[in-house]
Amino acid sequence: MNILNAIIEIAEQAGQAILDIYQRDPREFNITDKADATPLTAADLAAHKLIVNALTALTPDLPILSEEAADISWAVRQHWQRYWLVDPLDGTKEFIKRNGEFTVNIALIEQGEPVLGVVHAPVLEKTYYAAKAQGAWLKTAAGSQVIQVSQTAEVVRVVGSRSHPSPDLAGYLAQLPQYQLVEVGSSLKFCLVAEGVADVYPRFGPTMQWDTAAGHIIALEAGASVQFDGINGPVYQREQLLNPNFMVSALRQS
């Protein structure tokens, strides 16, 4: 089994662990608040444990940076040439709301850039995946198919965050002559652009490196551009784990 197939399997196993909890009474989610006031559930922890154990078994020499174990100093991380960057449950707010718009994100980082990524949406039964120079793919019950961005848009289809509205997004939309706004949770926003369902994903507001890495490589391999404000070098080899604003776009610049 090649490494990409192995990561797809790990992400889907983590997704099943999440679903096992998702299908319970919400009172059993064991919701607590982390230091940054974001929610943490039993599902986050179950997926984190499964992924870390599986990645450690698969690639024992590669370090892992997970949202649920992110207290690794820059003094250590700055020496990492290759590592796994993981969000065990991206879209915890969507999980709590029970709208199905949450994902498992696993990315392989080399020299600060994503070279492999898997985004699995367990409720939607969709797995998006990509590897550098190998294209982007969508796996469903019907099988796997190549996905590509759409580069024709009379009306710009903008995808935005369901749980993190932004005044800056409203200002961006006001500059467009015509647009359609689609709100969705988690890293699915990257995937909608990659799949050709949306044209632009402008992000004005906080995200962390583990929120974006897997979707980043999927969008790139599908033909989109991904630009982070003020970052010209490697996005994922920085002391600051908080991302600046960024833009994912399928539209050709005129």
Side-chain angles (χ1 to χ4, degrees):
M1 178 183 293
N2 67 38
I3 194 167
L4 182 54
N5 286 338
I7 299 308
I8 291 170
E9 184 174 318
I10 292 169
E12 291 177 346
Q13 289 173 352
Q16 186 56 57
I18 291 169
L19 285 181
D20 290 344
I21 297 171
Y22 186 73
Q23 291 162 354
R24 299 177 189 170
D25 187 308
R27 289 172 293 184
E28 297 182 40
F29 288 177
N30 298 331
I31 302 169
T32 58
D33 285 334
K34 293 188 283 190
D36 61 0
T38 58
L40 177 70
T41 71
D44 295 83
L45 297 176
H48 164 76
K49 181 178 179 180
L50 187 153
I51 292 169
V52 169
N53 288 343
L55 290 178
T56 300
L58 179 69
T59 54
D61 296 331
L62 289 188
I64 303 167
L65 180 63
S66 168
E67 178 179 11
E68 308 313 335
D71 55 344
I72 303 172
S73 71
W74 175 239
V76 173
R77 290 189 290 108
Q78 67 180 324
H79 301 294
W80 291 356
Q81 301 301 307
R82 299 177 77 228
Y83 70 97
W84 295 107
L85 185 51
V86 175
D87 191 341
L89 201 174
D90 183 25
T92 301
K93 290 183 178 179
E94 316 309 329
F95 174 89
I96 294 169
K97 294 175 184 176
R98 300 180 66 86
N99 65 21
E101 295 173 356
F102 53 84
T103 59
V104 176
N105 301 341
I106 304 176
L108 178 61
I109 308 299
E110 293 185 356
Q111 304 294 326
E113 299 294 352
V115 297
L116 178 153
V118 175
V119 172
H120 173 57
V123 172
L124 304 180
E125 298 183 332
K126 291 183 175 182
T127 304
Y128 299 86
Y129 59 96
K132 188 173 182 179
Q134 295 183 35
W137 299 73
L138 169 60
K139 176 185 176 185
T140 65
S144 293
Q145 62 183 39
V146 174
I147 55 174
Q148 292 183 314
V149 299
S150 171
Q151 295 180 332
T152 58
E154 295 182 5
V155 177
V156 178
R157 298 164 298 173
V158 182
V159 62
S161 175
R162 185 178 297 283
S163 294
H164 301 276
S166 164
D168 291 324
L169 176 59
Y172 171 82
L173 295 174
Q175 300 175 38
L176 299 177
Q178 295 186 73
Y179 69 88
Q180 295 175 347
L181 178 62
V182 178
E183 294 179 323
V184 68
S186 74
S187 57
L188 286 169
K189 294 181 282 294
F190 282 92
C191 299
L192 293 185
V193 175
E195 194 180 356
V197 175
D199 303 301
V200 181
Y201 168 30
R203 182 64 186 220
F204 305 102
T207 60
M208 305 299 288
Q209 290 188 24
W210 46 76
D211 294 322
T212 59
H216 187 160
I217 182 65
I218 291 168
L220 288 178
E221 286 296 312
S225 65
V226 182
Q227 300 292 330
F228 287 76
D229 289 356
I231 299 181
N232 296 317
V235 176
Y236 303 100
Q237 191 68 22
R238 298 180 292 117
E239 179 175 6
Q240 176 61 265
L241 292 171
L242 182 69
N243 290 323
N245 295 343
F246 61 85
M247 179 76 69
V248 181
S249 178
L251 302 179
R252 295 187 185 278
Q253 300 298 316
S254 57

